[in-house]
Amino acid sequence: MTAPAALADTAVVVSGLPRSGTSLLMAMLQAGGVPLLTDGQRAPDTDNPRGYFEFEAVKALRTDAAWLAEARGKAVKIVAPLVFQLPPALACRILFLERDLDEVVASQTAMLARKGITSPLSPSALKAALARQVAQARVVLTDTAQRRVCFVEHRRLIQSPHAAARSIADFLGGGLNVAAMAAVVEPGLYRQRHTQAALPFS
Amino acid sequence: LLSLEAGRALIRPPAFERTEAPRVTPQRKILLVGWDSADWRLISPLLDRGLMPALSGVIERGVMGNLASLEPMLSPLIWTSIATGKFPHQHGVLGFVEPDPLGGGIRNVGSTTRRGKALWNLLSESGLATHVVSWYASHPAETIRGVCASDRFALAPTPTAEPWPLPEGAIQPAAAAAALAQFRLHPTEIEASQLLPFIPRAAELDQRDPAVAGRLTALARILAQTASVQAAATWILETQPWDFLGVYFRALDDLGHHFMPFRPPCLPGVSETDVAVYGNVMEAACCFHDLMLARLLHLAGPDTTVIVISDHGFESGAQRPGAVANEPETMSGWHRQFGILAAAGPGVRRDERIYGCSVLDLTPTVLHLFGLPVGRDMAGKVLVNALEVPGEVARIPTWENPASDAAPAVAAPANAGEEAALFEHLVALGYMQRPDADTERQMRRAADEITFNRITSLVSAGQAGEASVEARRLAERNPTERRHRLKLVQALLHAGHLSEARDELAVVETELGHCPNTGRMIAHLLMLEGNPAEALRRLQAAESEAPDDMRLHEQIGRVLLQQRRWRDAEQRYRRVLAAEPENPSACVGLAAALARQNHNVEAAQWALTALGLQHFLPEGHFQLGAVLTKLNFPERAIQAFETGLSMRPGHVPAHRFLARLYRHIGHTDRAAHHRQRIRELDPSAPAED
């Protein structure tokens, strides 16, 4: 697979908090025709049946960014805490997922529970810490000469996949298969939807 | 000033947590200028010689005073306290660096470290055109209703000017970045002739000498950064609509750490030649700042209220602590407790000296000047004695909005424990990689330093109980680190946990050996345990080894007070004050000694002097209350005791005085309240005396 012409010299960075829909968006981009930079080391599991679409070297981004040369013309997943380490001179388009924080906390907690691990942070402390990460993204991730940033609502991705896919394709310069991208979204995988508790006497 | 009625109409403090920021129609402009480390001791002689006419003008048409700093006296902590009205343990900026939440080492503290809103956020939310330039710990720049240029905006990391990109996130809004980038001056653009006002003999120096080259390079770097900051501030004043501009210059501190040792008189270990060559740098730097201030004042116009401040002072005379000022271990020893405050303009009193000002007071005062309410969670007060018509201070519970997920500015948990927990959480999820052992050690050291400073801040704010819990954990993590162990002892002593303090001190002496600090702490403990004779014996033994140690003399003074040796205590405190005239706790000690000898008027004067130097001084308010009681000013005595109690809740002697005073003036219900408090605090104590 080769990248659409508009992305030939640009890395597409998919970012967001862990469990904010970054894997879903990676799958959409792949379906749309964007090559992915992944190594398949992290296998699909119950939490991400499609797979994680990760690249192990991302975790060492702070100390070694040489691999970013491989990301030109490809999409790579770099979760929120690490995305702030991208070199300013990197030509890239960043898609930053934003998801209801209660849903993110619930999803991360469930993922840890399946591993038999208890988070060192209480749900409220975790939510506050994650909120700060998003706030930092809003402050730091701004458009520059080399970089363009698009914040993507996870809820919109689920509720209006076609419109969302169209917006994403436009942001990336067009040339993507929007219908294939939208078809990736399966509402059945959207398990940690945050709903208001029903009123007992309503 | 806004009239009281207009202010009330505009503010209307809500009864509960507010959901929207109060909004105000701007009727004034405020220019807040920060000069890191500016000190009246250095500046006053220059004012007298007419060399700082701009600052002199501010003082003549306004007010001046000391600005008391906080412990620990470190610039990022104090400038953030200035910008929030809160103690460092409240605002969360607790060091120069912090562990990187990515587990990738350490990073400089910044706006993302701060827990909660800064002054520029509050003013911006209130609809004011707000700008801030180069404030300490302000990177990345925040989105406000105006231009925010962070403290990295003017930094020049590259050796040459081309290319010289703006650091990521240094300017908000991004549209202002291009304009401001062009005003930056790179150190290589500083010409030799521009160094000559600071070092007139620079051309004679051998620049192959690394020490000489280092000093000239440092001077060029500092001048370039300062000029860049000034250019950004003047650009804003010239081109942007504005109600508030805060601009911070760090040059006096930077230059002080390079050149203050060379200022005359010549210190031991400093060459006469260096004094002749570099001895004028600091005076020249002050004059340079005055020139910049003149330009800012001109652009701001006569209808602007201007406030010039520093975070702390800088030793410049005979008490300089050594021949080197730029070693990390000893840098803070050069800082003096009192910075400067000068203010003038509409609403500010004219040609007055004001007292009792703290770095915590700036944010409440600026809010009040704009007719905005002060948060009850702010530790500072409105400097009403600086204002022509103080008006009623409006208050709200807080400016923070705890329900919001999108708290501005704060991007990572500043608390070291939370920071580590978040990292562990992300490692467990499989999204982060654990760092190598060296990096982990570096991060742990940074986290420990933050904890150490947090404990110091808590103790300073009278929260010794909480401090002692954290200090215990810190000491357990670092059993061979003497300063951590002694910090625990200090916290325990302040919390009144005497037996635990004694046990810990004994273990420290056994494991790590004796040192002057442990000796002083043992004496302090003995005094608290009611054994002043043994305390005095130990202190006098230490005195023979360090006869000029004023901390020792002050401690001896306290023991002598406990022994009711009033005359001896008075002499001790007078000796301390001869060496350190601006030592507030020595003033309080002298007030106590004089009051017990019935020199009540002089005692009151010393207590007031102490509180003029430092308002947050519970013992000072107590001594003032005690002497005013003796002088038969019951209402004013009550005010002093109540103020002291607000700073030191649960102080039984103050409650006892208040019970008696309220009964004396016929407020039986208030008297009964204080008798009840005495019974609650000390069931064995008689409520009546």
Side-chain angles (χ1 to χ4, degrees), chain A residues 18-19 42 54 59-60 62 79 81-82 85 88 108 111-112 115 119-121 126-127 131-133 135-136 139 147, chain B residues 100 102 104 106-107 112 140-141 168 172 405 407 410-413 418 421-422 424-426 428-433:
Chain A
R19 310 301 296 165
R42 196 169 183 187
E54 288 181 1
K59 293 178 185 173
R62 185 188 170 88
V79 291
L82 287 165
Q85 301 299 317
Q108 291 188 359
M111 186 173 174
L112 285 181
K115 292 180 171 187
S119 173
L121 287 163
L126 177 58
K127 184 180 173 185
R132 291 182 185 110
Q133 295 283 334
Q136 184 173 18
V139 170
R147 184 176 74 193
Chain B
D100 191 315
L102 308 177
I106 57 173
R107 64 178 185 185
T112 56
E168 189 97 345
Q172 285 287 353
D405 285 340
V410 186
E418 276 179 36
L422 176 62
E424 286 301 324
H425 174 87
L426 294 169
L429 283 169
Y431 291 95
M432 303 288 279
Q433 199 171 47

Side-chain angles (χ1 to χ4, degrees), chain B residues 503-667:
Chain B
D503 293 346
E504 181 63 21
L505 260 177
V507 177
V508 171
E509 288 230 307
T510 306
E511 293 179 2
L512 304 178
H514 185 80
C515 76
N517 280 341
T518 53
R520 268 198 289 271
M521 284 184 162
I522 289 170
H524 185 52
L525 176 65
L526 286 163
M527 203 176 85
L528 293 173
E529 288 176 337
N531 190 354
E534 179 59 15
L536 189 60
R537 192 188 66 74
R538 287 184 180 245
L539 290 170
Q540 285 171 333
E543 185 187 3
S544 61
E545 293 170 17
D548 295 325
D549 185 339
M550 290 302 135
R551 285 186 301 169
L552 205 54
H553 288 296
E554 204 185 329
Q555 203 172 353
I556 290 171
R558 280 199 290 275
V559 176
L560 292 169
L561 280 181
Q562 196 179 26
Q563 291 186 313
R564 308 172 76 85
R565 292 165 60 181
W566 315 121
R567 178 73 187 143
D568 291 341
E570 177 193 338
Q571 286 171 345
R572 223 23 114 141
Y573 283 120
R574 287 196 190 279
R575 185 171 172 183
V576 174
L577 287 165
E580 299 175 357
E582 293 180 334
N583 182 329
S585 56
C587 293
V588 174
L590 180 55
L594 288 168
R596 292 306 191 125
Q597 297 173 81
N598 279 326
H599 303 314
N600 295 321
V601 173
E602 194 188 354
Q605 284 167 344
W606 279 108
L608 286 167
T609 301
L611 297 172
L613 289 165
Q614 184 179 333
H615 182 73
F616 193 92
L617 198 61
E619 185 61 24
H621 291 282
F622 177 79
Q623 289 299 339
L624 178 63
V627 75
L628 287 174
T629 304
K630 292 173 78 174
L631 288 167
N632 200 25
F633 292 107
E635 283 86 2
R636 293 181 63 186
I638 285 171
Q639 194 180 5
F641 286 124
E642 294 279 19
T643 306
L645 266 181
S646 71
M647 298 171 180
R648 181 169 56 175
H651 186 222
V652 172
H655 282 295
R656 188 166 287 127
F657 264 106
L658 283 167
R660 200 184 334 148
L661 285 164
Y662 276 120
R663 188 179 58 196
H664 175 70
I665 64 171
H667 288 202

Side-chain angles (χ1 to χ4, degrees), chain B residues 2 10 23-28 126 128 370:
Chain B
L2 286 171
L10 288 165
R23 300 181 73 83
V24 66
T25 304
Q27 296 189 2
R28 69 166 71 247
S126 305
L128 295 165
F370 275 122

Side-chain angles (χ1 to χ4, degrees), chain A residues 43-113:
Chain A
D45 58 18
T46 319
D47 294 301
N48 264 349
R50 283 197 197 88
Y52 283 83
F53 303 101
E54 288 181 1
F55 190 61
E56 190 65 17
V58 169
K59 293 178 185 173
L61 177 58
R62 185 188 170 88
T63 51
D64 179 11
W67 58 268
L68 279 167
E70 296 178 54
R72 280 196 299 189
K74 296 177 182 169
V76 61
K77 178 169 140 185
I78 304 178
V79 291
L82 287 165
V83 75
F84 309 123
Q85 301 299 317
L86 283 174
L90 178 74
C92 63
R93 300 199 181 191
I94 299 175
L95 289 157
F96 192 95
L97 266 298
E98 287 189 292
R99 186 179 182 184
D100 181 287
L101 286 176
D102 288 317
E103 293 179 7
V104 173
V105 170
S107 180
Q108 291 188 359
T109 306
M111 186 173 174
L112 285 181

